[in-house]
Amino acid sequence: MTAAPPASDLDALLGRVRAFVAERCVPLEAHLQASDYATLWAGLADVRADARAAGLWNLALSASEGGAGLSLPAFGRVSEALGWSPLGHVATNGQAPDIGNMELLLGHATDAQKAEFLQPLLDGDVRSCFAMTEPEHAGSNPTVMSSTARLEGGEWTIDGHKWFTTGFDGAAWAVAMVVTDPDADNKYARASMILVPTDADGLEHVRKLPVMGDEAEGWFSHSEIRFHGVRVPEANLLGPRGGGFQLAQERLGPGRIHHCMRWVGVCERALSLLCRYAAAREIAPGTPLATKQAVQFMIAESRAETDAARLLVLDAAEAIERDGAKAARGKISAIKFTVANTLQRVLDRAIQVHGGLGVLDDTPLAFWYRHERGARIYDGPDEVHKTVVAREEMRRYPDAAPPAKARVGVDV
């Protein structure tokens, strides 16, 4: 467990992060909204260099790993501040899927793997991706996969089909979750994780997936890929053979705190845009939108729901720090569906108040509405997480609970 920093130190860091995001990230958003990625990447290169020089780099990692040495709840607060802009996490090298892969490799990679794959990622010289979900199977049940890897002559031969591989476009390597032990009695011990360079022979980039019509680029894109007899060294196995499912669960626990607090940051920005527009936009001379009760209700509900979501996530972060992700699985599932739905409602209200402007790419609202709708689906749909919460709650009533059933879906 990482010790929480003094409140004054955290407040000072949050102030620096908020100022950096407002001054350096927000001005670049117009290029993202216009899909002018060449200009965006050039601008981000400068911003990322400045973030590193300012000590705002790899903030989620421990001090020994070059990060800020924050507790999980403290980094949750930082993640919210970074979430004010779609570029905040990217600017500070804390974006998904890279941050999850960093944490995986820090905990399970060999020294050789850390030198080849991890260090360039920590330095911001390369990007990575995570290939698990398959179009042929329900993504909510990662124990069922068709992608395989066979160990032959000191090499893994990988065949399979993946999609929603976030950030594959431009990534240097992937963590591929594939079946290595199909006959294992324990279904949770059939898959492993293998590190695969994206320029390996036989790795096909089928297409970038158009999310509500937007393919995006780089960190903001999702891809469909195929492995056609891709061969990598046996030493590219990440962690223990058959440990893929366990590593995936380990990756998701803290990752949900990162994501959910980023979504809280999005809610804060959307509410700010809503309020500013409602105060400035007049529906008649001298009558701004903010004077209308319907708009006031939207503001009040958004404020209350955002604050409630924040407290729920910070409570889950405290539970993970205190008891571990497995013991906190009910709280982790609860924040996943609660905050994802709060995000959708707050964004929808902000768009509604902006009227026609809200559905244009003149503000970040439409970008978030397209790309964050998947929050209720990715990493386990709402329905699976609600089942986890209900199951955890029913354990308090053993006499009333139905007989235990086999676990299906994502256990976090």
Side-chain angles (χ1 to χ4, degrees):
M1 182 184 299
T2 303
S8 58
D9 291 350
L10 179 58
D11 288 344
L13 176 60
L14 288 171
R16 292 173 57 212
V17 170
R18 291 177 183 128
F20 187 86
V21 170
E23 295 167 8
R24 303 304 311 280
C25 298
V26 171
L28 290 177
E29 290 176 357
H31 304 302
L32 176 63
Q33 291 153 207
S35 298
D36 179 7
Y37 289 101
T39 306
L40 175 63
W41 300 145
L44 268 174
D46 292 337
V47 171
R48 282 164 63 86
D50 290 345
R52 189 166 187 172
L56 300 177
W57 191 255
N58 292 338
L59 291 170
L61 305 183
S62 70
S64 63
E65 295 155 353
L70 300 173
S71 65
L72 187 58
F75 179 73
R77 297 287 308 281
V78 171
S79 189
E80 176 187 348
L82 293 171
W84 183 266
S85 169
L87 306 175
H89 287 80
V90 172
T92 55
N93 211 38
Q95 67 287 337
D98 292 322
I99 184 61
N101 288 343
M102 291 178 200
E103 292 171 341
L104 265 184
L105 268 65
L106 283 166
H108 300 281
T110 64
D111 289 342
Q113 290 172 343
K114 289 178 180 178
E116 180 179 357
F117 297 100
L118 176 60
Q119 193 58 51
L121 191 61
L122 295 175
D123 293 340
D125 295 333
V126 302
R127 294 195 291 101
S128 66
C129 56
F130 187 77
M132 181 175 74
T133 305
E134 299 179 354
E136 295 84 5
H137 303 290
S140 60
N141 188 1
T143 65
V144 180
M145 290 187 296
S146 297
S147 297
T148 62
R150 305 182 310 278
L151 188 57
E152 304 171 326
E155 290 185 313
W156 294 104
T157 300
I158 304 172
D159 291 282
H161 186 197
K162 302 288 187 179
W163 72 345
F164 283 96
T165 301
T166 302
F168 181 89
D169 176 40
W173 52 269
V175 177
M177 187 159 164
V178 292
V179 175
T180 54
D181 299 88
D183 299 323
D185 292 336
N186 182 354
K187 66 180 180 180
Y188 298 106
R190 293 171 184 166
S192 302
M193 290 188 181
I194 299 176
L195 298 166
V196 183
T198 56
D199 61 357
D201 290 342
L203 181 48
E204 177 191 3
H205 186 192
V206 178
R207 59 170 175 152
K208 285 192 292 183
L209 302 175
V211 176
M212 296 191 180
D214 185 6
E215 287 186 352
E217 288 187 11
W219 287 287
F220 305 103
S221 67
H222 307 279
S223 288
E224 178 183 0
I225 61 177
R226 286 186 181 273
F227 296 84
H228 302 283
V230 175
R231 298 178 71 86
V232 299
E234 180 179 0
N236 282 27
L237 177 70
L238 178 61
R241 179 167 177 168
F245 184 87
Q246 184 60 42
L247 265 63
Q249 299 308 304
E250 182 179 317
R251 186 179 187 273
L252 284 174
R256 294 230 171 88
I257 301 299
H258 299 183
H259 281 307
C260 289
M261 288 304 284
R262 177 175 63 83
W263 296 339
V264 172
V266 174
C267 290
E268 285 289 353
R269 178 77 178 282
L271 179 54
S272 175
L273 290 169
L274 186 164
C275 291
R276 291 177 183 277
Y277 191 80
R281 183 69 165 182
E282 293 185 345
I283 56 176
T287 307
L289 274 171
T291 63
K292 297 302 179 181
Q293 189 178 61
V295 174
Q296 293 169 0
F297 283 0
M298 292 183 186
I299 294 170
E301 290 168 359
S302 297
R303 175 77 277 150
E305 292 174 11
T306 299
D307 287 350
R310 177 187 299 106
L311 293 174
L312 197 66
V313 179
L314 293 177
D315 178 65
E318 293 281 1
I320 293 173
E321 285 278 281
R322 183 181 62 249
D323 305 320
K326 183 175 182 180
R329 59 185 176 269
K331 290 179 180 289
I332 295 171
S333 280
I335 65 172
K336 174 61 168 58
F337 69 79
T338 299
V339 186
N341 279 271
T342 297
L343 170 66
Q344 187 173 340
R345 289 192 297 269
V346 174
L347 281 172
D348 189 74
R349 293 176 191 131
I351 289 172
Q352 189 71 14
V353 169
H354 279 75
L357 175 62
V359 298
L360 302 180
D361 282 318
D362 291 14
T363 77
L365 294 172
F367 172 86
W368 275 320
Y369 200 76
R370 288 192 301 273
H371 287 276
E372 301 296 358
R373 175 56 181 85
R376 292 178 53 203
I377 300 170
Y378 306 151
D379 293 342
D382 286 359
E383 293 74 16
V384 169
H385 287 288
K386 289 178 181 179
T387 298
V388 172
V389 174
R391 188 176 62 217
E392 290 296 304
E393 190 67 14
M394 287 304 297
R395 285 176 176 162
R396 299 172 57 192
Y397 305 93
D399 295 336
K405 296 182 179 179
R407 292 185 176 185
V408 177
V410 177
D411 292 326
V412 294

